Amino acid sequence: MERKPISPEVRKQLIIAQRNEITEYNIYKRLASRIQNDHNRKVLNDIADDELRHYKIWQKYTAREVNPSQWDIFKFYWIARIFGITFGIKLMEKGEENAQINYNQIAKEVPEAAGISKDENDHEKELIKLIKEDKLEYIGSIVLGLNDALVEILGTLAGLTFALQNTKIVALAGIIAGIAGALSMSSSEYLSNKSEGNEDGAIKSAIFTGLAYLVAVVFLVAPFLIFASPFVALAVAVADSIFVVFVYSYYISVANDQPFRKRFLEMVILSTVVGLISFGLGYLIRIAFGIKV
């Protein structure tokens, strides 16, 4: 039976869909070839096979080959390698959702479109959930380390800025407090996990918590080593803290399918309130003790 010709509008959408499918096929295959974990490699290959199957279905209707986007292959491959496979894949899938492919319209002329849409929404998402990564398994430890550092160290820097008004001394105090805080948080996380019976993950949890804490400390203390004015340095440190909150809130929202805005605003408000309170306490202490540095 001769296939009915498709309309120009649907053909245009099919070509876009073809490019997406073949691009993602290449990304999944490239990632799979570099993954040591057998389980993750199998999951990636399974998703790649789905993408290639979809590409060939669209090709039956467009009757043409479509080249993948080399830029997207390069971009998402390295995002996945640096920030984790799950984050990279979900970020890529979000881009696909914005590709303006109307499956309902396509299904009127291409019967297979409904099944492909279901695959995209159900099967592939279920496969992505099977990927196992330390970055996600220990995301709670990372958030704990970042949250504590942003609140504690920013509060400390804000208080010392007004009390001492000397960037080098404030930076030194921040570094000392940061290292001590990182060690304290790591040991607490280790003991907490051991007490809960998580013997295998206790060390990794402690390491992720400590490293996350130190990363936040570096961002917060660096301005005091760069700028001469303590108040300019504090303003930049506050901006740095907002940037750090933005980055990890966005990361979690994508990787764990959580709301971004709520988490971001909660953390920014908390850090700001603690900073203002500490800044005020520093002012009062400076007056009460007559500190002049």
Side-chain angles (χ1 to χ4, degrees):
M1 181 177 176
E2 187 175 346
R3 185 178 290 119
K4 182 181 176 181
I6 57 175
S7 64
E9 294 80 9
V10 168
R11 179 181 171 81
K12 183 178 179 181
Q13 289 199 56
L14 289 181
I15 290 172
I16 294 173
Q18 262 189 276
R19 180 168 285 109
N20 287 343
E21 304 289 3
I22 198 63
T23 297
E24 292 179 9
Y25 165 78
N26 279 276
I27 293 169
Y28 287 122
K29 277 296 184 182
R30 188 173 177 188
L31 286 171
S33 68
R34 303 298 175 90
I35 297 295
Q36 299 298 320
N37 183 293
D38 291 338
H39 170 83
N40 288 348
R41 184 167 58 250
K42 182 182 183 305
V43 171
L44 292 172
N45 279 319
D46 287 345
I47 302 174
D49 291 341
D50 273 353
E51 302 290 3
L52 185 60
R53 181 169 56 83
H54 296 163
Y55 171 84
K56 290 180 177 179
I57 292 173
W58 300 139
Q59 188 183 27
K60 288 191 303 183
Y61 290 90
T62 62
R64 60 170 285 186
E65 293 279 354
V66 176
N67 293 323
S69 168
Q70 294 300 327
W71 165 244
D72 282 346
I73 293 173
F74 174 83
K75 178 176 66 176
F76 288 113
Y77 171 78
W78 283 108
I79 287 175
R81 292 283 289 177
I82 295 170
F83 298 105
I85 300 171
T86 305
F87 176 79
I89 289 174
K90 288 191 175 182
L91 189 64
M92 180 175 66
E93 295 294 337
K94 281 183 176 291
E96 185 179 1
E97 289 172 7
N98 297 326
Q100 297 181 335
I101 299 172
N102 188 336
Y103 284 103
N104 290 330
Q105 181 185 2
I106 295 173
K108 294 176 182 178
E109 301 181 36
V110 181
E112 294 95 333
I116 291 177
S117 178
K118 183 172 177 59
D119 272 356
E120 298 282 356
N121 291 325
D122 299 331
H123 184 220
E124 288 177 12
K125 287 182 180 179
E126 288 303 314
L127 286 175
I128 290 171
K129 290 178 183 177
L130 296 177
I131 295 173
K132 298 176 181 178
E133 285 189 284
D134 281 350
K135 288 184 179 71
L136 293 183
E137 289 181 22
Y138 296 97
I139 197 71
S141 299
I142 294 172
V143 171
L144 178 66
L146 287 173
N147 281 357
D148 271 64
L150 290 172
V151 173
E152 293 174 7
I153 302 303
L154 184 61
T156 299
L157 294 174
L160 292 175
T161 294
F162 215 109
L164 303 177
Q165 297 186 18
N166 183 302
T167 54
K168 296 297 183 277
I169 296 177
V170 173
L172 179 62
I175 292 170
I176 293 171
I179 294 173
L183 293 173
S184 173
M185 286 299 301
S186 292
S187 59
S188 296
E189 183 72 355
Y190 174 77
L191 293 173
S192 175
N193 275 272
K194 287 208 70 173
S195 67
E196 292 173 0
N198 184 17
E199 297 280 343
D200 297 333
I203 294 177
K204 279 190 175 181
S205 293
I207 291 172
F208 276 106
T209 301
L211 287 177
Y213 196 104
L214 287 175
V215 167
V217 169
V218 169
F219 271 89
L220 295 176
V221 172
F224 290 89
L225 298 173
I226 297 172
F227 298 99
S229 168
F231 299 106
V232 171
L234 180 60
V236 175
V238 171
D240 281 351
S241 72
I242 294 174
F243 173 74
V244 171
V245 172
F246 176 85
V247 170
Y248 86 73
S249 295
Y250 182 72
Y251 181 92
I252 293 170
S253 73
V254 173
N256 283 355
D257 296 317
Q258 295 180 2
F260 165 74
R261 184 176 298 179
K262 182 181 178 182
R263 177 181 289 275
F264 175 67
L265 290 177
E266 282 179 349
M267 194 56 217
V268 168
I269 291 170
L270 180 61
S271 298
T272 301
V273 169
V274 171
L276 289 173
I277 292 172
S278 300
F279 196 83
L281 288 174
Y283 174 73
L284 293 175
I285 291 171
R286 182 180 177 86
I287 292 176
F289 291 93
I291 297 174
K292 292 182 180 180
V293 179

